[in-house]
Amino acid sequence: MSRRRQAVTTAETAPEVRPRGGHRAGRKRGLPGARDRYFDVLRAVALVRVVAYHTFGWAWAGLVFPSMGVMFGLAGTLMAKSLERPAPRVVRDRLRRLLPPFWFWGAFVVLAMLVHGWMPGWEIVYWIVPLGDPPGNAWGEQAWEILWYLRTYLWFVLLSPLLLRIFRLAPVPVLVLSLAPVLVLNFLRDAPDNRFGSALWDLATYLFCWLLGFAHRDGVLRRLRPAAVVAASLAALAYGGWFAFAHRAEYGTYDLDEIPLAQAFWSAGFVTLLLYFKAARGVDFAWSARFRRLDRTVTIFNGRAVTIYLWHEIALILAVPLIDQFWKVPAFEAWLPLESQWFLFAVGWVLIWLAIVLFGWVEDVAARKRPRLLP
């Protein structure tokens, strides 16, 4: 089963609320309601990298920036913060913000697959609540294969009240032991080759990153010694990188998305360094507000993260026949790099922005906000 897939955090990307008195007022450190631009920038970078990976298929992309590990780490931090409120309410709010955009997008995909001969069985219930991978046919696979992330995120949300209780019993030991499940699945007992097994693999792969978010929120990372954090992170990176390259022949690639154990350890080391840097230094990337276009783009990306994630593959799919039409125009054929993957990347982003404008308002409705074209 292919694991070449990327993700971004959902359900935590509400648009920034700017107080009166200026464009930058809400970004000053310490003001209630101000967004943390460090997290926002990381999420925006992950979104761009997701689209780039699905355009170019770079095997080295996960080594440069393990988007999934980073996003699960950020989501864990935000989930721990949210669980300062009653757990049932938090879980209900997460479901409310995640599922309506999924249903809206899913209506298009399911209808298209039905038109192309798909006959669903009882598994279609996973298109309502994706506790398992939603089914589909080969025609729509490129669109629906990304839904593994929603399934994994949803399970982490449901398990978080229990996970947070267990984590707080012994934070550092529990964090270290959270890498044990992926080791067990890899070396001792493989997961079943079904929806349940697929979910187990993904939960095991990103459990450390999710709990690392708890550690950041609870101040556990800040209290650790820098030398110990750096040494442990470099060791995890070294093991993950070594495993990926040492087993390249077995997996046919060193792409971390195809090698869960390597992904788990590389992401663990990478995300630990990112979150420890944030915890120890208190960096907030507030400087980004000085660059208004960049700042505005980051705001839009975070306010429409679910839309971008769900629709980006469809945008890339539609970009191909659209570019085919460009070949019929002599001027386009002569002057545009129609064969370049970079041109596909650019056209894909044009279509993604179109999806943001046309469909992004669903995220506002899900968050019980006034619908807007852009956040």
Side-chain angles (χ1 to χ4, degrees):
M1 176 174 164
S2 174
R3 307 183 72 83
R4 179 171 289 177
R5 46 204 186 173
Q6 299 296 317
V8 292
T9 289
T10 60
E12 293 288 356
T13 53
E16 175 184 13
V17 179
R18 293 177 181 168
R20 296 178 181 176
H23 177 72
R24 303 180 187 177
R27 310 250 172 74
K28 294 180 181 178
R29 187 180 302 176
L31 288 182
R35 291 191 62 99
D36 190 320
R37 242 15 184 189
Y38 184 78
F39 286 177
D40 286 350
V41 169
L42 288 179
R43 190 177 292 112
V45 170
L47 284 166
V48 174
R49 217 227 70 187
V50 164
V51 179
Y53 177 84
H54 285 151
T55 303
F56 301 100
W58 293 323
W60 47 264
L63 296 170
V64 174
F65 191 85
S67 296
M68 294 181 289
V70 171
M71 293 303 111
F72 279 115
L74 298 181
T77 295
L78 297 170
M79 190 65 186
K81 177 182 178 181
S82 297
L83 284 172
E84 295 170 1
R85 296 179 288 139
R89 178 183 173 187
V90 172
V91 172
R92 184 176 64 250
D93 287 348
R94 290 296 179 280
L95 294 176
R96 174 174 51 81
R97 296 179 66 178
L98 176 66
L99 293 179
F102 164 66
W103 293 333
F104 184 85
W105 171 88
F108 287 87
V109 177
V110 169
L111 179 60
M113 290 192 297
L114 290 173
V115 170
H116 286 81
W118 179 51
M119 292 297 294
W122 68 267
E123 296 91 347
I124 198 172
V125 297
Y126 293 123
W127 280 100
I128 301 174
V129 181
L131 291 174
D133 293 321
N137 61 7
W139 183 88
E141 182 176 1
Q142 188 174 342
W144 56 255
E145 66 177 355
I146 63 171
L147 294 178
W148 75 271
Y149 171 70
L150 271 69
R151 179 252 296 149
T152 306
Y153 177 84
L154 181 59
W155 273 111
F156 273 133
V157 166
L158 295 174
L159 293 172
S160 279
L162 175 61
L163 289 175
L164 187 58
R165 284 174 176 262
I166 295 173
F167 171 78
R168 286 174 173 170
L169 294 175
V172 175
V174 170
L175 184 61
V176 173
L177 288 173
S178 67
L179 286 169
V182 74
L183 290 169
V184 171
L185 291 178
N186 195 84
F187 293 114
L188 299 180
R189 185 170 183 176
D190 197 0
D193 187 19
N194 52 28
R195 284 184 172 83
F196 177 71
S198 180
L200 279 181
W201 268 114
D202 291 327
L203 288 169
T205 300
Y206 300 107
L207 178 60
F208 180 95
C209 292
W210 191 269
L211 296 186
L212 189 67
F214 293 174
H216 177 269
R217 176 62 189 174
D218 284 5
V220 174
L221 288 180
R222 187 172 59 248
R223 296 192 294 269
L224 298 177
R225 294 181 180 180
V229 173
V230 172
S233 298
L234 293 179
L237 287 168
Y239 181 69
W242 168 82
F243 191 89
F245 283 94
H247 295 79
R248 184 175 181 178
E250 177 184 348
Y251 290 93
T253 181
Y254 60 86
D255 188 336
L256 298 182
D257 292 335
E258 303 288 345
I259 313 172
L261 182 65
Q263 176 76 271
F265 277 84
W266 186 269
S267 294
F270 197 99
V271 180
T272 297
L273 291 175
L274 281 180
L275 293 189
Y276 184 74
F277 179 72
K278 166 66 176 174
R281 299 292 182 179
V283 179
D284 59 8
F285 280 7
W287 54 264
S288 65
R290 297 197 298 268
F291 304 93
R292 297 189 64 181
R293 290 184 179 179
L294 173 63
D295 186 64
R296 180 64 178 144
T297 300
V298 170
T299 296
I300 293 172
F301 274 36
N302 279 268
R304 295 292 183 259
V306 181
T307 300
I308 294 172
Y309 181 70
L310 287 174
W311 290 93
H312 81 274
E313 279 283 21
I314 293 180
L316 292 174
I317 293 170
L318 294 177
V320 174
L322 179 59
I323 293 174
D324 287 343
Q325 298 304 309
F326 290 178
W327 286 96
K328 299 178 181 179
V329 181
F332 290 169
E333 182 180 1
W335 296 104
L336 294 178
L338 301 181
E339 294 181 343
S340 172
Q341 288 292 98
W342 286 101
F343 189 72
L344 173 64
F345 184 64
V347 173
W349 271 110
V350 171
L351 296 179
I352 289 170
W353 278 101
L354 182 62
I356 290 173
V357 173
L358 293 178
F359 311 129
W361 56 269
V362 180
E363 292 194 61
D364 293 330
V365 173
R368 294 180 179 174
K369 298 179 181 294
R370 179 174 58 86
R372 295 182 292 177
L373 291 179
L374 294 174

